[in-house]
Amino acid sequence: MKKITLLWVVCLITFVGATTVHAQNPTVLCSGFETEDFADVWTNDFGDLVSVVSGDQYSGTKSCKLITDASSQLSEVYQKVEITAGKAYTLSIYNKLLNNGGNGAAMLGYIFLDESGSNMTEFVSVPMTSTQGAWVKSSLSTDIAPAGAVYIWFDLQVTGGAGTSILFDDASITLSGGATTKTAQTITGLSAISKTASDVDFDMAATASSNLAVTYTSSNTAVATVSGSKVHIVGAGVSTITASQAGNDTYAVAPDVTATLTVAPTAVAVTSVTLNTSTLALVAGGSQTLTATVTPDNATNKSVSWTSNNTAVATVDNTGKVTALTAGTATITVTTTDGSKTATCIVTVSAAISYTWLLAPAIAIEGTNLKVVGTDADKFTLFYINDQATTATGGVVSLAGKTGDLSLKATTADGTGLIKLKVNLAPKTAVKDGVEVIKLNVNNKQLAVSSKQSVVSSR
C-alpha cells in the first residue's frame, strides 16, 4: 500500500504535462490503444512493463498489456480527461487475464483534479473482475465532481506476483448523473376533438418546443387506441388523449398536455316521414295538431319543420298545430332536417255556421219516433241514445223497444249545435226534464243555453 501511495506522488508530478482528453457522453478513450494514439494520451511510468500489443484485442487492432516484475509487483497507465464540476461519471474498461503470477489483480481508479492538475479528492480504486483468456467489462461510478474540478484521472493498474499480465481495451467515460440544468420545453397543438364511430384513423399534430418527438396515449382504449401519432377510433364514448415528451440530456421532461376526444355513435339516417292523416277538414277558427312519425325509430336526428303553402287559409306552428283561418284549402308539409324527407296533409277549411236561433230547435217524441223540430232542424243529423250513436232514417230515430229513462242527443254535423233531452218512456210519463238547447262556438265551447221546454209525447 505504501508503494501505491508513492506511485501516485510520482504520477502527479509527471501528469501535469500530459495531453488532456475532453469527456463527452460517451467518450471513448484511446479506443483500441492504437500506437499512434497511445503515447499522446496515456502516461506510462513503468517502461517496458507497459506495452501496446497486436492480435489480441476487444475491438480495433491493438490492446494495452500491463505486466509485473519481481521488484515492483505493479504496473500502471493513466490518462487525464476534462470533465464538468457538479456531475458524476462512469468509468469503464475491458480486461483479459493472460497470466497470474500470484494474487494477480486488475484495478480501476480515479481522482478529481483542479485546473492546475492538483488532486482535489482522495484516490478511489476498485478491483476488476478478470477471467483467464476472456474479455470482461468492468465499471466504476464516481462521486459528483466537486466545485472547481476540471479533470478526472482515469487510472489502470495491475498488481500481483512477478509475471502477472493483463490486457486492457476500450476505455470509456460516460456522464452518469449529478446536478444538471436542462432546458424546459412545452407541448402545443392539442385541442378537443370530436369524431363519430365510423371515422377513419387520424394523426395527432402536437409539437414540442424542443422539436423532439411527441408521444401519445389514450385513457380509454374502448373508445380509441394510439399507435405512434395515429389514433384509431374503436367505438363511441369519451377518451383523454395525453401528449408527452420525455426530454433528453439537454431538455427536461415536458409537462403533459391533454385533450378530450369525444366519439359520437355512427349516425342513423332518416329514411321517411309520415303524418297521422293525409286530409283534414276544419271550420274557420278551428284547429287540430298533426303528428309526424320519423323512421327508422333510432334515427340520429329526428327533428322536423312545418310549412303551409297557403297561410291565408291555414297556418301551422313548429309543433304541427294547424289553425284554420278562412274557407279554402292549404297543403301542410312536414320536412325532416336529416335527408329532407317530406309528408303532406291537405286541409280543407269551411266557413263557420251562423244560427239565428229565432225559434230554438227541439227534440220531439212522436209515438215511438224521435226527431228534431224547429229552426234549422235539418242541420241536426247525428243522433245518440244514452251516448250511443244511432241511425236516423229521414231525420227520424225509432225508439221502439226502449223503456225507462233515456238520454237523447242530437248534434249538427260540424258539432256547433247540440240538443239534449232526458225522458222516461214509461206509461203516463211523457217528459221528464224537458229540452235543453245548447249552441256551441267554432271551438266547441258553449255560447248559450235556452230555457227548458216541455215536450209532450203523443203516446
Coordinates of all heavy atoms in Angstrom, one line a residue, residues 343-438:
A343 N -93.8 14.8 -46.0 CA -95.1 14.2 -46.0 C -96.1 15.4 -46.0 O -95.8 16.5 -45.5 CB -95.4 13.3 -44.8
T344 N -97.3 15.2 -46.6 CA -98.2 16.3 -46.7 C -99.6 16.0 -46.2 O -100.0 14.8 -46.2 CB -98.3 16.8 -48.2 OG1 -98.8 15.7 -49.0 CG2 -97.0 17.4 -48.7
C345 N -100.3 17.0 -45.8 CA -101.7 16.9 -45.5 C -102.5 18.0 -46.1 O -102.1 19.2 -46.0 CB -101.9 16.9 -43.9 SG -103.6 16.9 -43.4
I346 N -103.6 17.7 -46.8 CA -104.4 18.7 -47.4 C -105.5 19.1 -46.5 O -106.3 18.3 -46.0 CB -105.0 18.2 -48.8 CG1 -103.9 17.9 -49.7 CG2 -106.0 19.2 -49.3 CD1 -104.4 17.3 -51.0
V347 N -105.5 20.4 -46.1 CA -106.5 20.9 -45.1 C -107.6 21.6 -45.9 O -107.3 22.5 -46.7 CB -105.8 21.8 -44.1 CG1 -106.9 22.4 -43.2 CG2 -104.7 21.1 -43.4
T348 N -108.8 21.2 -45.6 CA -110.0 21.9 -46.2 C -110.7 22.7 -45.1 O -111.1 22.1 -44.1 CB -111.0 20.9 -46.9 OG1 -110.3 20.2 -47.9 CG2 -112.1 21.7 -47.5
V349 N -110.8 24.0 -45.3 CA -111.4 24.9 -44.3 C -112.8 25.3 -44.8 O -112.9 25.9 -45.9 CB -110.5 26.1 -44.0 CG1 -111.2 27.0 -42.9 CG2 -109.2 25.6 -43.5
S350 N -113.8 25.2 -44.0 CA -115.2 25.6 -44.4 C -115.5 26.8 -43.5 O -115.0 26.9 -42.4 CB -116.2 24.5 -44.3 OG -116.2 24.0 -42.9
A351 N -116.4 27.7 -44.0 CA -116.9 28.8 -43.2 C -117.6 28.4 -42.0 O -118.3 27.4 -42.0 CB -117.7 29.8 -44.1
A352 N -117.6 29.2 -40.9 CA -118.3 28.9 -39.7 C -119.8 29.0 -39.9 O -120.3 29.9 -40.6 CB -117.9 29.8 -38.6
I353 N -120.6 28.1 -39.3 CA -122.1 28.1 -39.4 C -122.7 29.2 -38.4 O -122.2 29.3 -37.3 CB -122.7 26.8 -39.1 CG1 -122.2 25.7 -40.1 CG2 -124.2 26.8 -39.1 CD1 -122.6 24.3 -39.7
S354 N -123.5 30.0 -38.9 CA -124.2 31.0 -38.1 C -125.7 30.8 -38.0 O -126.4 30.6 -39.0 CB -123.9 32.4 -38.7 OG -124.6 33.4 -38.0
Y355 N -126.2 30.6 -36.7 CA -127.6 30.4 -36.5 C -128.2 31.6 -35.9 O -127.6 32.3 -35.1 CB -127.8 29.2 -35.5 CG -127.2 27.9 -36.0 CD1 -126.1 27.3 -35.4 CD2 -127.9 27.2 -37.1 CE1 -125.6 26.1 -35.9 CE2 -127.4 26.0 -37.5 CZ -126.3 25.4 -37.0 OH -125.9 24.2 -37.4
T356 N -129.5 31.8 -36.4 CA -130.3 32.9 -35.8 C -131.0 32.5 -34.5 O -131.2 33.3 -33.6 CB -131.3 33.4 -36.8 OG1 -132.2 32.3 -37.1 CG2 -130.7 34.0 -38.0
W357 N -131.3 31.3 -34.4 CA -131.9 30.7 -33.2 C -133.2 31.5 -32.8 O -133.5 31.8 -31.7 CB -131.0 30.7 -32.0 CG -129.8 29.8 -32.2 CD1 -128.6 30.2 -32.8 CD2 -129.7 28.4 -31.9 NE1 -127.8 29.1 -32.9 CE2 -128.4 28.0 -32.3 CE3 -130.5 27.5 -31.3 CZ2 -128.0 26.7 -32.2 CZ3 -130.1 26.2 -31.1 CH2 -128.8 25.8 -31.5
L358 N -133.9 31.9 -33.9 CA -135.2 32.6 -33.6 C -136.2 31.7 -32.9 O -136.9 32.1 -32.0 CB -135.7 33.2 -34.9 CG -134.9 34.2 -35.6 CD1 -135.5 34.7 -36.9 CD2 -134.7 35.4 -34.7
L359 N -136.2 30.5 -33.4 CA -137.1 29.5 -32.7 C -136.2 28.3 -32.4 O -135.7 27.7 -33.4 CB -138.2 29.1 -33.7 CG -139.1 28.0 -33.1 CD1 -139.8 28.4 -31.8 CD2 -140.2 27.6 -34.1
A360 N -135.9 28.1 -31.2 CA -134.9 27.1 -30.8 C -135.4 25.7 -31.3 O -136.5 25.4 -31.2 CB -134.7 27.1 -29.3
P361 N -134.5 25.0 -31.9 CA -134.8 23.6 -32.3 C -135.0 22.8 -31.0 O -134.5 23.1 -30.0 CB -133.6 23.1 -33.1 CG -132.4 23.9 -32.5 CD -133.0 25.3 -32.2
A362 N -135.7 21.7 -31.2 CA -136.0 20.8 -30.0 C -136.2 19.4 -30.5 O -136.4 19.1 -31.7 CB -137.3 21.3 -29.4
I363 N -136.0 18.5 -29.5 CA -136.2 17.0 -29.8 C -137.7 16.7 -29.5 O -138.2 17.0 -28.4 CB -135.3 16.2 -29.0 CG1 -133.8 16.4 -29.3 CG2 -135.6 14.7 -29.2 CD1 -132.8 15.7 -28.5
A364 N -138.3 16.2 -30.5 CA -139.7 15.8 -30.3 C -139.9 14.3 -30.4 O -139.2 13.7 -31.2 CB -140.6 16.5 -31.4
I365 N -140.7 13.8 -29.5 CA -141.0 12.4 -29.5 C -142.5 12.2 -29.9 O -143.4 12.7 -29.2 CB -140.8 11.8 -28.1 CG1 -139.4 12.0 -27.6 CG2 -141.2 10.3 -28.0 CD1 -139.1 11.6 -26.2
E366 N -142.6 11.5 -31.0 CA -143.9 11.3 -31.6 C -144.1 9.8 -31.7 O -143.5 9.1 -32.5 CB -144.1 11.9 -33.0 CG -143.9 13.5 -32.9 CD -144.0 14.1 -34.3 OE1 -143.9 13.3 -35.3 OE2 -144.1 15.3 -34.4
G367 N -145.0 9.3 -30.8 CA -145.2 7.8 -30.7 C -143.9 7.2 -30.3 O -143.4 7.5 -29.2
T368 N -143.3 6.3 -31.1 CA -142.1 5.7 -30.8 C -140.9 6.3 -31.6 O -139.9 5.6 -31.8 CB -142.2 4.2 -31.0 OG1 -142.5 3.9 -32.4 CG2 -143.2 3.5 -30.1
N369 N -141.1 7.4 -32.2 CA -140.1 8.0 -33.0 C -139.6 9.3 -32.4 O -140.3 10.0 -31.7 CB -140.7 8.4 -34.4 CG -141.0 7.1 -35.2 OD1 -140.4 6.1 -35.0 ND2 -142.0 7.2 -36.0
L370 N -138.3 9.6 -32.7 CA -137.6 10.8 -32.2 C -137.2 11.6 -33.4 O -136.6 11.1 -34.4 CB -136.4 10.4 -31.3 CG -135.5 11.5 -30.8 CD1 -134.8 11.1 -29.5 CD2 -134.4 11.9 -31.9
K371 N -137.4 12.9 -33.4 CA -136.9 13.8 -34.4 C -136.7 15.2 -33.9 O -137.1 15.5 -32.8 CB -137.9 13.8 -35.6 CG -139.2 14.5 -35.3 CD -140.0 14.5 -36.6 CE -141.4 15.2 -36.3 NZ -142.2 15.3 -37.6
V372 N -136.0 16.0 -34.7 CA -135.7 17.4 -34.3 C -136.7 18.3 -35.0 O -136.9 18.1 -36.3 CB -134.3 17.8 -34.6 CG1 -134.1 19.3 -34.3 CG2 -133.3 16.9 -33.9
V373 N -137.3 19.2 -34.3 CA -138.2 20.2 -34.9 C -137.8 21.6 -34.6 O -137.0 21.8 -33.7 CB -139.7 19.9 -34.4 CG1 -140.2 18.5 -34.8 CG2 -139.7 20.1 -32.9
G374 N -138.3 22.5 -35.3 CA -137.9 23.9 -35.1 C -136.9 24.4 -36.1 O -136.6 23.8 -37.1
T375 N -136.3 25.7 -35.8 CA -135.4 26.3 -36.7 C -134.1 25.4 -36.9 O -133.6 24.9 -36.0 CB -134.9 27.6 -36.1 OG1 -136.1 28.4 -35.8 CG2 -134.0 28.4 -37.0
D376 N -133.7 25.3 -38.2 CA -132.5 24.6 -38.6 C -132.6 23.1 -38.2 O -131.6 22.5 -37.9 CB -131.3 25.2 -38.1 CG -131.0 26.5 -38.8 OD1 -131.2 26.6 -40.0 OD2 -130.4 27.5 -38.1
A377 N -133.8 22.6 -38.1 CA -133.9 21.2 -37.6 C -133.1 20.2 -38.5 O -132.6 19.2 -38.1 CB -135.4 20.8 -37.5
D378 N -133.1 20.6 -39.8 CA -132.4 19.7 -40.8 C -130.9 19.7 -40.6 O -130.2 18.8 -41.2 CB -132.7 20.2 -42.2 CG -132.3 21.6 -42.5 OD1 -132.4 22.4 -41.6 OD2 -131.8 21.9 -43.6
K379 N -130.4 20.6 -39.8 CA -128.9 20.6 -39.6 C -128.5 19.6 -38.6 O -127.4 19.2 -38.5 CB -128.5 22.0 -39.0 CG -128.8 23.2 -40.0 CD -127.9 23.1 -41.2 CE -127.8 24.5 -41.9 NZ -129.2 24.9 -42.3
F380 N -129.5 19.1 -37.8 CA -129.1 18.1 -36.8 C -129.3 16.7 -37.4 O -130.4 16.2 -37.5 CB -130.1 18.3 -35.5 CG -129.8 19.6 -34.8 CD1 -130.4 20.8 -35.2 CD2 -129.0 19.6 -33.7 CE1 -130.1 21.9 -34.6 CE2 -128.7 20.8 -33.0 CZ -129.3 22.0 -33.5
T381 N -128.1 16.2 -37.7 CA -128.2 14.9 -38.5 C -127.5 13.7 -37.7 O -127.6 12.6 -38.1 CB -127.4 15.1 -39.8 OG1 -126.0 15.5 -39.5 CG2 -128.1 16.1 -40.7
L382 N -126.9 14.0 -36.5 CA -126.3 13.0 -35.8 C -127.1 12.8 -34.5 O -127.4 13.7 -33.7 CB -124.8 13.3 -35.4 CG -123.9 13.6 -36.6 CD1 -122.5 14.0 -36.2 CD2 -123.9 12.3 -37.5
F383 N -127.4 11.5 -34.2 CA -128.3 11.2 -33.1 C -127.7 10.2 -32.1 O -126.9 9.3 -32.6 CB -129.7 10.6 -33.6 CG -130.5 11.6 -34.4 CD1 -130.3 11.8 -35.7 CD2 -131.4 12.4 -33.7 CE1 -131.0 12.7 -36.5 CE2 -132.1 13.4 -34.5 CZ -131.9 13.5 -35.9
Y384 N -128.0 10.3 -30.8 CA -127.4 9.5 -29.8 C -128.4 9.1 -28.8 O -129.2 10.0 -28.4 CB -126.2 10.1 -29.1 CG -125.1 10.6 -30.0 CD1 -125.2 11.8 -30.7 CD2 -124.0 9.8 -30.3 CE1 -124.2 12.2 -31.5 CE2 -123.0 10.2 -31.1 CZ -123.1 11.4 -31.8 OH -122.1 11.8 -32.6
I385 N -128.5 7.8 -28.4 CA -129.3 7.4 -27.3 C -128.4 6.8 -26.2 O -127.6 5.9 -26.4 CB -130.3 6.3 -27.8 CG1 -131.2 6.8 -28.9 CG2 -131.2 5.8 -26.6 CD1 -132.1 5.8 -29.5
N386 N -128.5 7.5 -25.0 CA -127.6 7.1 -23.9 C -126.1 7.1 -24.4 O -125.3 6.2 -24.1 CB -128.0 5.7 -23.4 CG -129.3 5.7 -22.6 OD1 -129.8 6.8 -22.2 ND2 -130.0 4.6 -22.5
D387 N -125.8 8.2 -25.2 CA -124.4 8.5 -25.7 C -124.0 7.4 -26.7 O -122.8 7.4 -27.0 CB -123.4 8.5 -24.5 CG -123.6 9.8 -23.7 OD1 -124.0 10.8 -24.3 OD2 -123.4 9.8 -22.5
Q388 N -124.9 6.6 -27.2 CA -124.5 5.6 -28.2 C -125.1 6.1 -29.5 O -126.3 6.4 -29.6 CB -125.1 4.2 -27.9 CG -124.5 3.6 -26.7 CD -123.0 3.3 -26.8 OE1 -122.5 2.8 -27.8 NE2 -122.2 3.7 -25.7
A389 N -124.2 6.2 -30.6 CA -124.7 6.7 -31.8 C -125.8 5.8 -32.4 O -125.7 4.5 -32.3 CB -123.5 6.8 -32.8
T390 N -126.8 6.4 -33.0 CA -127.9 5.6 -33.6 C -128.2 6.1 -35.0 O -127.9 7.2 -35.3 CB -129.1 5.6 -32.7 OG1 -130.1 4.7 -33.2 CG2 -129.7 7.0 -32.7
T391 N -128.8 5.2 -35.8 CA -129.0 5.6 -37.2 C -130.4 6.2 -37.3 O -131.4 5.8 -36.7 CB -129.0 4.3 -38.1 OG1 -127.7 3.7 -37.9 CG2 -129.2 4.7 -39.5
A392 N -130.4 7.4 -38.1 CA -131.7 8.1 -38.4 C -132.1 7.8 -39.8 O -131.2 7.7 -40.7 CB -131.5 9.5 -38.1
T393 N -133.4 7.6 -40.0 CA -133.9 7.4 -41.4 C -134.8 8.6 -41.7 O -135.9 8.8 -41.0 CB -134.7 6.1 -41.5 OG1 -133.9 5.0 -41.1 CG2 -135.2 5.9 -42.9
G394 N -134.4 9.5 -42.6 CA -135.1 10.6 -43.0 C -135.2 11.6 -41.8 O -136.3 12.2 -41.6
G395 N -134.2 11.6 -40.9 CA -134.2 12.5 -39.8 C -135.0 12.0 -38.6 O -135.3 12.7 -37.7
V396 N -135.4 10.7 -38.7 CA -136.3 10.2 -37.6 C -135.5 9.0 -37.1 O -135.0 8.1 -37.8 CB -137.6 9.7 -38.2 CG1 -138.4 9.0 -37.1 CG2 -138.4 10.9 -38.7
V397 N -135.5 8.9 -35.7 CA -134.9 7.7 -35.0 C -136.0 7.0 -34.3 O -136.8 7.6 -33.6 CB -133.9 8.2 -34.0 CG1 -133.3 7.0 -33.2 CG2 -132.7 8.9 -34.7
S398 N -136.0 5.7 -34.4 CA -137.0 4.8 -33.8 C -136.6 4.5 -32.4 O -135.5 4.2 -32.1 CB -137.2 3.5 -34.6 OG -138.1 2.7 -33.9
L399 N -137.6 4.7 -31.5 CA -137.4 4.4 -30.1 C -138.1 3.1 -29.7 O -138.3 2.8 -28.5 CB -137.9 5.5 -29.2 CG -137.2 6.9 -29.3 CD1 -137.8 7.9 -28.5 CD2 -135.7 6.7 -29.0
A400 N -138.6 2.3 -30.7 CA -139.3 1.1 -30.4 C -138.5 0.2 -29.6 O -137.3 0.0 -29.8 CB -139.7 0.4 -31.7
G401 N -139.1 -0.3 -28.5 CA -138.4 -1.3 -27.7 C -137.7 -0.6 -26.5 O -137.1 -1.3 -25.7
K402 N -137.6 0.7 -26.5 CA -136.8 1.4 -25.5 C -137.8 1.6 -24.3 O -138.9 2.0 -24.5 CB -136.3 2.7 -26.0 CG -135.4 2.6 -27.2 CD -134.1 1.9 -27.0 CE -133.2 1.9 -28.2 NZ -132.0 1.1 -28.0
T403 N -137.2 1.5 -23.1 CA -138.1 1.7 -21.9 C -137.2 2.4 -20.9 O -136.0 2.5 -20.9 CB -138.6 0.4 -21.3 OG1 -137.4 -0.4 -20.9 CG2 -139.4 -0.4 -22.3
G404 N -137.9 3.0 -19.9 CA -137.2 3.6 -18.8 C -136.6 4.9 -19.1 O -137.0 5.6 -20.1
D405 N -135.7 5.4 -18.3 CA -135.0 6.7 -18.5 C -134.1 6.7 -19.7 O -133.2 5.8 -19.8 CB -134.3 7.2 -17.3 CG -135.2 7.5 -16.1 OD1 -136.3 7.9 -16.4 OD2 -134.7 7.4 -15.0
L406 N -134.2 7.7 -20.6 CA -133.3 7.7 -21.8 C -132.7 9.1 -21.8 O -133.3 10.1 -21.5 CB -134.1 7.5 -23.1 CG -134.8 6.1 -23.2 CD1 -135.5 6.1 -24.5 CD2 -133.7 5.0 -23.2
S407 N -131.4 9.1 -22.3 CA -130.7 10.4 -22.5 C -130.6 10.5 -24.0 O -130.0 9.7 -24.7 CB -129.4 10.4 -21.9 OG -128.7 11.6 -22.3
L408 N -131.4 11.5 -24.6 CA -131.4 11.7 -26.1 C -130.6 12.9 -26.4 O -130.6 13.9 -25.8 CB -132.8 11.8 -26.5 CG -133.8 10.7 -26.1 CD1 -135.2 11.1 -26.6 CD2 -133.4 9.4 -26.5
K409 N -129.8 12.8 -27.6 CA -129.0 13.9 -28.0 C -128.9 13.9 -29.5 O -128.9 12.9 -30.2 CB -127.6 13.7 -27.4 CG -126.6 14.9 -27.8 CD -125.3 14.8 -27.0 CE -124.6 13.5 -27.4 NZ -123.2 13.5 -26.8
A410 N -129.0 15.2 -30.1 CA -128.8 15.4 -31.5 C -127.8 16.5 -31.7 O -127.8 17.5 -31.0 CB -130.2 15.7 -32.1
T411 N -126.9 16.3 -32.7 CA -125.9 17.4 -32.9 C -125.9 17.7 -34.4 O -126.3 16.8 -35.3 CB -124.5 17.0 -32.5 OG1 -124.1 15.9 -33.3 CG2 -124.5 16.5 -31.0
T412 N -125.3 18.8 -34.7 CA -125.1 19.2 -36.1 C -123.8 18.4 -36.6 O -123.0 18.0 -35.8 CB -124.9 20.7 -36.3 OG1 -123.8 21.1 -35.5 CG2 -126.2 21.4 -35.9
A413 N -123.7 18.3 -37.9 CA -122.6 17.6 -38.5 C -121.2 18.2 -38.1 O -120.2 17.6 -37.9 CB -122.7 17.4 -40.0
D414 N -121.2 19.6 -38.0 CA -120.0 20.3 -37.7 C -119.8 20.5 -36.2 O -118.8 21.1 -35.8 CB -119.9 21.6 -38.4 CG -121.0 22.6 -38.0 OD1 -121.7 22.2 -37.0 OD2 -121.2 23.6 -38.6
G415 N -120.7 19.9 -35.4 CA -120.5 20.0 -34.0 C -120.8 21.3 -33.3 O -120.6 21.5 -32.2
T416 N -121.4 22.2 -34.1 CA -121.7 23.5 -33.4 C -123.1 23.6 -32.8 O -123.4 24.6 -32.1 CB -121.6 24.7 -34.5 OG1 -122.5 24.4 -35.5 CG2 -120.2 24.7 -35.1
G417 N -123.9 22.7 -33.0 CA -125.3 22.7 -32.4 C -125.5 21.4 -31.6 O -125.1 20.3 -32.0
L418 N -126.1 21.5 -30.5 CA -126.3 20.3 -29.6 C -127.7 20.5 -28.9 O -128.0 21.5 -28.4 CB -125.2 20.3 -28.6 CG -125.4 19.3 -27.4 CD1 -125.4 17.8 -28.0 CD2 -124.3 19.5 -26.4
I419 N -128.5 19.4 -28.9 CA -129.7 19.4 -28.2 C -129.8 18.1 -27.4 O -129.4 17.0 -27.8 CB -131.0 19.3 -29.2 CG1 -130.9 20.4 -30.2 CG2 -132.3 19.4 -28.4 CD1 -131.9 20.3 -31.3
K420 N -130.2 18.3 -26.1 CA -130.2 17.2 -25.2 C -131.6 17.1 -24.6 O -132.3 18.1 -24.3 CB -129.2 17.3 -24.1 CG -127.8 17.2 -24.6 CD -126.7 17.1 -23.5 CE -126.8 18.3 -22.6 NZ -125.7 18.2 -21.5
L421 N -132.1 15.9 -24.3 CA -133.4 15.7 -23.7 C -133.4 14.4 -22.9 O -132.8 13.4 -23.3 CB -134.5 15.5 -24.8 CG -135.9 15.1 -24.3 CD1 -136.5 16.3 -23.4 CD2 -136.8 14.8 -25.4
K422 N -133.9 14.5 -21.6 CA -134.0 13.3 -20.8 C -135.5 13.0 -20.7 O -136.3 13.8 -20.3 CB -133.4 13.6 -19.4 CG -131.9 13.7 -19.4 CD -131.3 13.9 -18.0 CE -129.8 14.0 -18.0 NZ -129.3 14.2 -16.6
V423 N -135.8 11.8 -21.0 CA -137.2 11.4 -20.9 C -137.4 10.0 -20.3 O -136.4 9.3 -20.1 CB -137.8 11.3 -22.4 CG1 -137.8 12.6 -23.1 CG2 -137.2 10.2 -23.2
N424 N -138.6 9.7 -19.9 CA -138.9 8.4 -19.4 C -140.1 7.9 -20.2 O -141.1 8.5 -20.2 CB -139.3 8.4 -17.9 CG -139.4 7.0 -17.3 OD1 -140.3 6.2 -17.7 ND2 -138.6 6.7 -16.3
L425 N -139.9 6.8 -20.8 CA -140.9 6.3 -21.8 C -141.9 5.4 -21.1 O -142.7 4.7 -21.7 CB -140.3 5.5 -22.9 CG -139.3 6.4 -23.8 CD1 -138.8 5.6 -25.0 CD2 -140.1 7.6 -24.3
A426 N -141.9 5.3 -19.7 CA -142.9 4.5 -19.1 C -144.3 5.1 -19.3 O -144.4 6.4 -19.5 CB -142.6 4.4 -17.6
P427 N -145.4 4.4 -19.3 CA -146.7 4.9 -19.5 C -147.0 6.1 -18.5 O -146.5 6.1 -17.3 CB -147.6 3.7 -19.2 CG -146.7 2.5 -19.5 CD -145.3 2.9 -19.0
K428 N -147.7 7.1 -18.9 CA -148.2 8.2 -18.2 C -147.1 9.3 -17.9 O -147.3 10.3 -17.3 CB -148.8 7.8 -16.9 CG -150.0 6.9 -17.1 CD -150.6 6.5 -15.7 CE -151.9 5.6 -15.9 NZ -152.4 5.2 -14.6
T429 N -145.8 9.0 -18.3 CA -144.7 10.0 -18.1 C -144.2 10.3 -19.4 O -143.3 9.6 -19.9 CB -143.7 9.4 -17.2 OG1 -144.2 9.0 -15.9 CG2 -142.6 10.5 -16.9
A430 N -144.6 11.4 -20.0 CA -144.2 11.7 -21.3 C -142.8 12.5 -21.4 O -141.9 12.2 -22.2 CB -145.2 12.6 -22.0
V431 N -142.7 13.5 -20.5 CA -141.4 14.3 -20.5 C -140.9 14.3 -19.1 O -141.6 14.6 -18.1 CB -141.7 15.7 -21.0 CG1 -140.4 16.5 -20.9 CG2 -142.2 15.6 -22.4
K432 N -139.6 14.1 -18.9 CA -139.0 14.1 -17.6 C -138.4 15.4 -17.2 O -138.8 16.1 -16.3 CB -137.9 13.0 -17.4 CG -137.4 12.9 -16.0 CD -136.4 11.8 -15.9 CE -135.9 11.7 -14.5 NZ -134.9 10.6 -14.3
D433 N -137.4 15.9 -18.0 CA -136.7 17.1 -17.7 C -136.9 18.2 -18.8 O -136.3 19.3 -18.6 CB -135.2 16.9 -17.5 CG -135.0 16.0 -16.3 OD1 -135.7 16.2 -15.3 OD2 -134.1 15.2 -16.3
G434 N -137.6 18.0 -19.8 CA -137.7 19.0 -20.8 C -136.5 19.0 -21.8 O -135.7 18.0 -21.8
V435 N -136.4 20.0 -22.6 CA -135.4 20.1 -23.6 C -134.4 21.1 -23.3 O -134.7 22.2 -22.9 CB -136.1 20.4 -25.0 CG1 -135.0 20.5 -26.1 CG2 -137.1 19.4 -25.4
E436 N -133.1 20.7 -23.4 CA -132.0 21.7 -23.2 C -131.3 21.9 -24.5 O -130.7 21.0 -25.1 CB -131.0 21.1 -22.2 CG -129.9 22.0 -21.8 CD -128.9 21.4 -20.8 OE1 -129.0 20.2 -20.6 OE2 -128.1 22.1 -20.3
V437 N -131.4 23.1 -25.0 CA -130.8 23.5 -26.3 C -129.5 24.3 -26.0 O -129.5 25.3 -25.4 CB -131.8 24.3 -27.1 CG1 -131.2 24.6 -28.5 CG2 -133.1 23.6 -27.3
I438 N -128.4 23.8 -26.6 CA -127.1 24.5 -26.4 C -126.5 24.8 -27.8 O -126.5 24.0 -28.7 CB -126.2 23.5 -25.7 CG1 -126.8 23.1 -24.3 CG2 -124.8 24.2 -25.5 CD1 -125.9 22.1 -23.6

